[in-house]
Amino acid sequence: MSQFSFSHLGSAVHIMSGAIRKQDFLTYFKKFSLIESTETSVTLGVVSSFHKDNLSKKFYDEIKSAIVSVCPGIEVVDFAVDERIDVRPETEVVDCRLAHKNQEKQTKKEQVEWVQIVEWVNSRLVSDRYQLGNFIVGPSTQLAHAACDAVARKPGASYNPLYLYGNVGLGKTHLLQGTANAIRAKHKNLRVVYTTADKFLTDYVASIKGRSIDKLRERYRQIDVLVLDDVQFLAGKKQTQEELYNIFNILYEAGKQIILSGDRPPKELTELEDRLQSRFEWGITVDLGEPDYETRLAIVQEKCRAREFLLASDVTEFIAENVTTNVREIEWVLNQIIAEHDLKGTPPTLENVALRLSKLSIRSLATSVTSSRTFRSTHCSYEDLIQAVSGHFGIEIRTLLSEDRKKENMIPRQVAMYLLKNKLNYTYERIGNIFSGRNHTAVMYSCKKLESVMKKDQQVVYEVNVIRDKLGI
Ligand code: ADP
Ligand code: MG
């Protein structure tokens, strides 16, 4: 057991200043000196009998407990007026006001730091739109989702690190943020940080410039769950990789959970240091594949539900059939359809949606959408084209294809021929066959004629473009 020393006194006064009301502390606590001490008792010098009386009557318990907490053997605390207290050197006197100021400063500093950490932890990068619960699980994402779920339940326990990889738009960010959100909800005491490799790089560079690299390290050391998205951005960034490597090791050894994502498996991250690569592989690596039809359909339905937008089932099926490789694109298409509806009042019928998709060059429009829901990836058929031209100009197909020489039918017929020639690559002969067996020079003449008309007449160009848009050609 140690004897109560002057440095014990400093620490004890520090504690008192935090434990006693500010007003009382400033009134009754002025200076302390150390008159006498043993392993079990201590006599404190004070400035006057006024102080001695008050301290020993009003604040005895607080003072004693502060002293015992720094020097557990003390049983008796006594006070004596120290006549020489004002002339003693600094090294023999504890100035209570100073102690109080320091205490306040420290509390403020701690508060600021804490606020900074909390802000950082709840970083703006995370959206609560992404939840594990609203991620539609399909065969190509089942494993990834299950791993995230397991990690969210017991962070640091099983899959550590968890590394997800896959092409863009397949749900990596959704799963990472969803896991971060789930951990936050389930384990309120854990400090969960989501950041992207890109952001990490920026922070790192800024901290180097601002000479605050220690602060950055300190922050990362306090993390319980680190979620780092898109690690491929670290390719070739040697120094940043080094820093991440160190942080990784510290967290990993402390049993903290690490979750990562990349656009390819760790092995293929060629410009990543070998040791970092191998760290990424320590736990479990899971790939995200393209969703199959059923999953896409469920995703379309879920996104509509979330947006409170109603789509007929033939339309949702149509989207699921035609937007195949990227979930982000499914969302994008839906946004277009919803915007068309909200801003222009376009109803989301199968025809309108098909048209919209063809305009977005998702697929070129093929046969009449009602007869086949899936676009053919090649060009549309001549029947579609004829039908579209006839519909656009309001003349019957029969008339359009006939040999009549009425002036009002000339332009529509020329447009149909022109498009068959230039957009569907039909030969003049074949077009002639379609148009009542005309010979090919007549067809050629018609096409050239339209070209020259289009050079002069913007209205005709417009009509042609409307039809092209409609057909997606
Ligand atoms: P990545 O990070 O792999 O590029 P994201 O996670 O950003 O992809 O996904 C793109 C968009 O698609 C996001 O808005 C996400 O919510 C959505 N998304 C992707 N996969 C699914 C899924 N299986 N269920 C629901 N939404 C998904
Ligand atoms: Mg992403």
Side-chain angles (χ1 to χ4, degrees):
M1 225 186 286
S2 66
Q3 196 173 329
F4 189 85
S5 68
F6 185 73
S7 77
H8 282 134
L9 180 59
S11 310
V13 172
H14 182 77
I15 294 170
M16 291 173 212
S17 76
I20 289 162
R21 258 187 353 132
K22 181 176 175 181
Q23 193 54 48
D24 288 340
F25 190 80
L26 293 177
T27 312
Y28 301 107
F29 291 65
K30 205 157 179 217
K31 287 179 184 170
F32 286 115
S33 61
L34 188 57
I35 306 268
E36 200 179 20
S37 74
T38 68
E39 282 179 358
T40 54
S41 74
V42 54
T43 305
L44 299 177
V46 296
V47 286
S48 69
S49 54
F50 164 79
H51 288 91
K52 180 185 160 190
D53 291 348
N54 278 294
L55 290 174
S56 56
K57 284 189 193 120
K58 289 191 187 150
F59 303 103
Y60 185 82
D61 290 344
E62 287 92 338
I63 293 170
K64 167 108 186 276
S65 93
I67 285 175
V68 170
S69 71
V70 296
C71 190
I74 302 296
E75 285 159 14
V76 183
V77 179
D78 217 347
F79 301 91
V81 178
D82 181 355
E83 308 283 354
R84 299 189 55 246
I85 201 161
D86 283 328
V87 295
R88 282 188 193 273
E90 251 177 52
T91 49
E92 289 179 14
V93 185
V94 175
D95 184 329
C96 296
R97 272 161 210 256
L98 221 58
H100 187 261
K101 262 194 200 143
N102 287 339
Q103 171 87 17
E104 274 201 327
K105 237 194 244 162
Q106 190 178 342
T107 333
K108 265 210 192 108
K109 196 167 153 245
E110 276 169 7
Q111 275 169 356
V112 170
E113 273 173 7
W114 181 244
V115 168
Q116 280 174 351
I117 287 173
V118 169
E119 274 176 4
W120 179 62
V121 166
N122 299 321
S123 73
R124 321 113 273 181
L125 297 173
V126 181
S127 157
D128 55 13
R129 208 161 63 82
Y130 299 123
Q131 302 289 344
L132 290 182
N134 64 13
F135 187 86
I136 307 295
V137 184
S140 63
T141 50
Q142 195 176 10
L143 194 58
H145 185 268
C148 288
D149 200 45
V151 164
R153 250 180 272 147
K154 282 190 174 174
S158 41
Y159 306 121
N160 202 16
L162 168 61
Y163 184 96
L164 301 184
Y165 67 93
N167 285 337
V168 291
L170 294 182
K172 298 183 296 293
T173 299
H174 188 132
L175 281 177
L176 257 57
Q177 294 207 10
T179 310
N181 284 327
I183 297 175
R184 257 179 218 155
K186 279 185 199 136
H187 311 269
K188 295 213 160 46
N189 55 335
L190 294 186
R191 291 181 184 174
V192 185
V193 170
Y194 168 92
T195 189
T196 65
D198 206 28
K199 178 81 172 53
F200 180 76
L201 181 76
T202 319
D203 287 352
Y204 176 71
V205 172
S207 75
I208 298 266
K209 275 194 195 144
R211 298 179 196 290
S212 54
I213 187 72
D214 289 342
K215 225 183 199 165
L216 182 99
R217 286 182 186 145
E218 187 50 39
R219 278 184 171 189
Y220 273 88
R221 252 177 232 141
Q222 295 177 3
I223 293 176
D224 296 307
V225 179
L226 173 63
V227 187
L228 188 63
D229 208 351
D230 290 323
V231 293
Q232 72 273 7
F233 286 126
L234 294 177
K237 306 287 191 291
K238 275 245 146 41
Q239 244 184 304
T240 314
Q241 289 180 23
E242 180 85 5
E243 193 60 43
L244 180 64
Y245 177 79
N246 292 329
I247 290 170
F248 187 105
N249 286 341
I250 291 167
L251 294 180
Y252 184 83
E253 268 150 36
K256 311 294 191 185
Q257 178 72 49
I258 300 162
I259 308 172
L260 308 148
S261 88
D263 65 354
R264 62 203 102 159
K267 260 198 246 5
E268 292 172 22
L269 291 164
T270 43
E271 284 187 86
L272 212 65
E273 265 191 75
D274 288 351
R275 41 188 201 152
L276 200 53
Q277 248 180 44
S278 78
R279 290 289 187 280
F280 288 173
E281 285 176 335
W282 272 359
I284 177 175
T285 66
V286 189
D287 74 319
L288 295 171
E290 289 176 7
D292 60 5
Y293 171 73
E294 284 76 16
T295 314
R296 296 198 302 272
L297 187 61
I299 290 172
V300 175
Q301 287 164 348
E302 161 59 23
K303 301 288 169 187
C304 284
R305 195 200 54 74
R307 300 282 300 264
E308 297 180 344
F309 191 76
L310 271 180
L311 273 187
S313 62
D314 58 344
V315 179
T316 51
E317 284 162 16
F318 182 80
I319 296 171
E321 269 164 13
N322 286 287
V323 190
T324 53
T325 54
N326 180 326
V327 181
R328 186 173 292 133
E329 206 161 71
I330 294 181
E331 285 190 327
W332 185 60
V333 164
L334 274 179
N335 285 342
Q336 301 285 324
I337 294 168
I338 295 173
E340 287 251 314
H341 175 260
D342 290 352
L343 305 175
K344 292 198 213 154
T346 315
T349 59
L350 188 55
E351 278 74 16
N352 287 337
V353 169
L355 192 60
R356 191 69 213 157
L357 256 66
S358 74
K359 276 190 190 162
L360 296 171
S361 320
I362 301 283
R363 286 284 192 281
S364 59
L365 183 60
T367 51
S368 145
V369 287
T370 37
S371 64
S372 158
R373 277 200 312 259
T374 313
F375 287 138
R376 278 209 245 115
S377 54
T378 51
H379 295 295
C380 70
S381 72
Y382 81 83
E383 289 99 332
D384 295 326
L385 196 146
I386 300 298
Q387 202 174 7
V389 174
S390 134
H392 182 77
F393 291 105
I395 55 172
E396 282 183 8
I397 292 179
R398 239 181 338 124
T399 318
L400 188 68
L401 301 180
S402 75
E403 281 190 286
D404 88 323
R405 299 201 162 261
K406 280 197 190 132
K407 229 176 159 206
E408 66 262 34
N409 297 333
M410 297 293 251
I411 292 274
R413 196 173 292 133
Q414 286 167 2
V415 167
M417 291 179 176
Y418 168 85
L419 287 175
L420 283 171
K421 173 71 193 138
N422 291 286
K423 296 300 158 193
L424 301 197
N425 293 324
Y426 275 39
T427 60
Y428 291 131
E429 279 81 359
R430 195 167 169 203
I431 297 170
N433 275 340
I434 295 168
F435 286 84
S436 314
R438 279 174 172 78
N439 78 33
H440 79 275
T441 47
V443 177
M444 191 167 74
Y445 173 80
S446 292
C447 290
K448 299 287 173 216
K449 179 81 183 130
L450 188 78
E451 279 172 28
S452 68
V453 171
M454 279 165 66
K455 280 189 189 126
K456 288 178 232 136
D457 193 344
Q458 273 303 307
Q459 183 59 35
V460 177
V461 175
Y462 172 77
E463 309 288 353
V464 169
N465 284 340
V466 170
I467 296 166
R468 283 183 54 196
D469 278 352
K470 207 165 177 180
L471 293 168
I473 56 176

